[in-house]
Amino acid sequence: MSSADFLTDFHHVATIGATPRHGVDRQAATAEDAQSRAWFSKWVADAGYTLHVDGIGNMFGLIEWTPGAPYVLIGSHLDSQPLGGRFDGAYGVLAALHAARNVDELATKSATRPPFNLAVVNWFNEEGGRFAPSVMGSSVFVGLFDQEKMLDTTDLAGVTARAALAEIGYLGTDPRPVTVSYAEIHIEQGRILERENIAIGVVDRSWYTQKLDIEVLGEQSHTGATAMADRHDALVAAAKIILMVREVTTDFAEEAIVSSVGQLTLEPNSPIVVARRVRLVADLRSGDPAIVQAARATLLEKIAALAVEHDIKINVTDFDIRPIRYFPENGLQLAEQAAGRAGLSTRRIQTMAGHDSVAMNTIVPSIMLFIPSVDGVSHCEREFTTDADMVAGLALLTEVATDLVNGALVDPALLDPALSPALASSARA
């Protein structure tokens, strides 16, 4: 497939759920997500590959050269944030589809077939904008999250992920492919590569993440008739917590920790009623877990004092704690060597954001690659990456996927028939 074919497909998919300012809104298991999934299904069918959809809505386009052999997975996600960017996730899926076709064409022309099969994956609910937590589909795939519990999660309207997937026709029952390695390419969502004029970021680790579910319980009352001294306004206290979450980052070196409150709901949400309940989610991230824990301790202390000051109750619950994950050194070297063959400059880089590759790296050797983001912006309509950078990334992913299906990163111990008969058989094929 040519670069022009890839770009045509990419820019077409960007029209699905398109927003007025060139972004997309394809939240998980919505009608717009269903349209992008239908496009993925048709592409896989037209290419002559096999489509599987598993019990959490992950989609796999399977290319089988060696019957019974395990798979190398490549891909990302098609869902987006509300008013999100058209590159985040979708680029990785489109690049994977075209890289897979490139590898398939090479394999078809070759006298020998690769020992491992290849599959392109579209993970369910990576973004977590509609259903929390994020990185859901891949985390269920690797066993970090329980499938039934995730299917029972609800959006703000009370709709379960199970019901939403069933509604759009993607609550599957197909078996999941046995996997030996994984690769994903993604926009950086930061400005390091652009600033340093580097073509490819080779991700060597993820940041530590800690989220806090904060429930502020005040007392509902009339906004006009209640004396100020008699109010127990949950929203006022919540507003102070939001500022605390931002200000705690100033206790540490610049950029050592990032924080935000990205979601807030209040009850009864009436213009003439003092809020009785506010729920918000605080997100703390750092390359050093000790920094996150110190910031958390400070926040808990200040929140406890705030509850006393306002004579209200505040419940804080830890959730979605994600440790630092290190990508394997041999995978980093493989990616760097492949980039060298493609004439692309590289640097090692950490990912502050969560990705499906981080989850996959817990069960199989995984490779995470970044291409530059213009101005380093993401999760907004202004998100942008050039066609040239996308095409360069596609060329690199093709190189990496070719190496992987030919056995790169596979532990030699797995070739022992006593340990893995299927894997040993595939290696002999």
Side-chain angles (χ1 to χ4, degrees):
M1 294 290 287
S2 69
S3 299
D5 292 324
F6 159 73
L7 291 172
T8 296
D9 279 350
F10 177 83
H11 293 298
H12 170 72
V13 170
T15 67
I16 301 173
T19 62
R21 297 184 179 182
H22 309 295
V24 295
D25 197 331
R26 293 195 301 258
Q27 296 177 67
T30 59
E32 294 76 17
D33 184 33
Q35 291 176 46
S36 67
R37 286 167 167 266
W39 181 90
F40 180 97
S41 299
K42 184 177 186 302
W43 198 102
V44 168
D46 289 347
Y49 307 147
T50 301
L51 179 71
H52 278 193
V53 181
D54 72 6
I56 194 67
N58 298 320
M59 303 176 70
F60 304 93
L62 306 172
I63 307 174
E64 186 178 67
W65 301 300
T66 304
Y71 286 81
V72 170
L73 287 188
I74 57 176
S76 192
H77 61 95
L78 291 173
D79 71 308
S80 81
Q81 291 290 339
L83 295 179
R86 64 190 188 273
F87 300 86
D88 178 5
Y91 166 65
V93 174
L94 272 292
L97 286 171
H98 283 262
R101 175 165 278 180
N102 291 342
V103 176
D104 186 36
E105 289 178 351
L106 292 171
T108 301
K109 294 174 183 177
S110 174
T112 60
R113 296 299 172 91
F116 300 106
N117 296 317
L118 183 61
V120 178
V121 59
N122 169 34
W123 299 111
F124 172 66
N125 191 42
E126 191 275 350
E127 292 292 356
R130 182 180 181 190
F131 300 103
S134 61
V135 196
M136 184 179 287
S138 55
S139 295
V140 167
F141 182 92
V142 304
L144 293 174
F145 295 166
D146 177 74
Q147 177 172 297
E148 295 307 305
K149 184 178 293 186
M150 292 303 103
L151 289 172
D152 287 339
T153 60
T154 60
D155 63 12
L156 293 179
V159 178
T160 65
R162 187 193 311 274
L165 280 168
E167 175 69 21
I168 65 169
Y170 286 95
L171 184 61
T173 59
D174 294 323
R176 294 173 175 133
V178 177
T179 306
V180 292
S181 59
Y182 177 76
E184 178 173 357
I185 195 162
H186 203 280
I187 59 170
E188 180 193 349
Q189 302 177 287
R191 58 192 180 196
I192 293 174
L193 296 177
E194 181 185 53
R195 186 173 58 208
E196 298 182 4
N197 195 29
I198 300 292
I200 299 293
V202 180
V203 179
D204 60 6
R205 74 191 70 179
S206 62
W207 270 28
Y208 184 90
T209 300
Q210 160 83 71
K211 295 178 184 176
L212 299 173
D213 189 327
I214 304 172
E215 181 186 43
V216 185
L217 299 172
E219 183 179 48
Q220 184 171 323
S221 61
H222 197 300
T223 55
T226 307
M228 296 302 293
D230 294 337
R231 300 183 185 210
H232 302 277
D233 192 329
L235 186 56
V236 169
K240 293 183 179 181
I241 293 172
I242 292 169
L243 294 177
M244 289 177 188
V245 171
R246 179 179 178 86
E247 291 165 357
V248 75
T249 64
T250 63
D251 293 346
F252 308 93
E254 186 176 0
E255 300 301 329
I257 182 172
V258 295
S259 71
S260 65
V261 171
Q263 185 178 68
L264 179 149
T265 57
L266 69 152
E267 298 171 4
N269 200 23
S270 167
I272 55 171
V273 178
V274 172
R276 69 168 179 265
R277 178 179 183 267
V278 176
R279 183 186 174 195
L280 53 96
V281 175
D283 187 334
L284 306 172
R285 304 184 189 214
S286 175
D288 183 350
I291 289 178
V292 172
Q293 292 305 317
R296 172 186 175 277
T298 297
L299 285 172
L300 292 180
E301 182 179 347
K302 290 185 175 182
I303 289 171
L306 182 71
V308 173
E309 176 190 351
H310 285 257
D311 190 20
I312 57 176
K313 184 176 182 180
I314 305 177
N315 300 316
V316 182
T317 304
D318 294 308
F319 83 106
D320 203 11
I321 301 171
R322 305 191 184 195
I324 292 175
R325 303 285 189 189
Y326 293 87
F327 288 85
E329 177 63 29
N330 58 349
L332 304 179
Q333 294 178 9
L334 183 154
E336 290 163 344
Q337 291 165 6
R341 296 195 300 270
L344 300 171
S345 57
T346 65
R347 78 175 319 270
R348 295 195 179 185
I349 194 169
Q350 298 175 19
T351 178
M352 301 159 70
H355 294 288
D356 296 305
S357 63
V358 178
M360 287 299 295
N361 194 46
T362 65
I363 64 165
V364 293
S366 299
I367 294 173
M368 183 75 192
L369 305 168
F370 283 165
I371 60 173
S373 294
V374 173
D375 294 335
V377 297
S378 185
H379 282 189
C380 69
E381 294 170 297
R382 193 162 64 89
E383 177 183 278
F384 188 74
T385 289
T386 66
D387 285 357
D389 284 335
M390 288 197 291
V391 168
L394 167 59
L396 176 58
L397 185 62
T398 299
E399 291 277 342
V400 168
T402 300
D403 288 344
L404 293 178
V405 297
N406 283 296
L409 304 191
V410 174
D411 184 348
L414 293 177
L415 300 180
D416 182 345
L419 296 177
S420 179
L423 195 55
S425 174
S426 71
R428 292 193 300 270

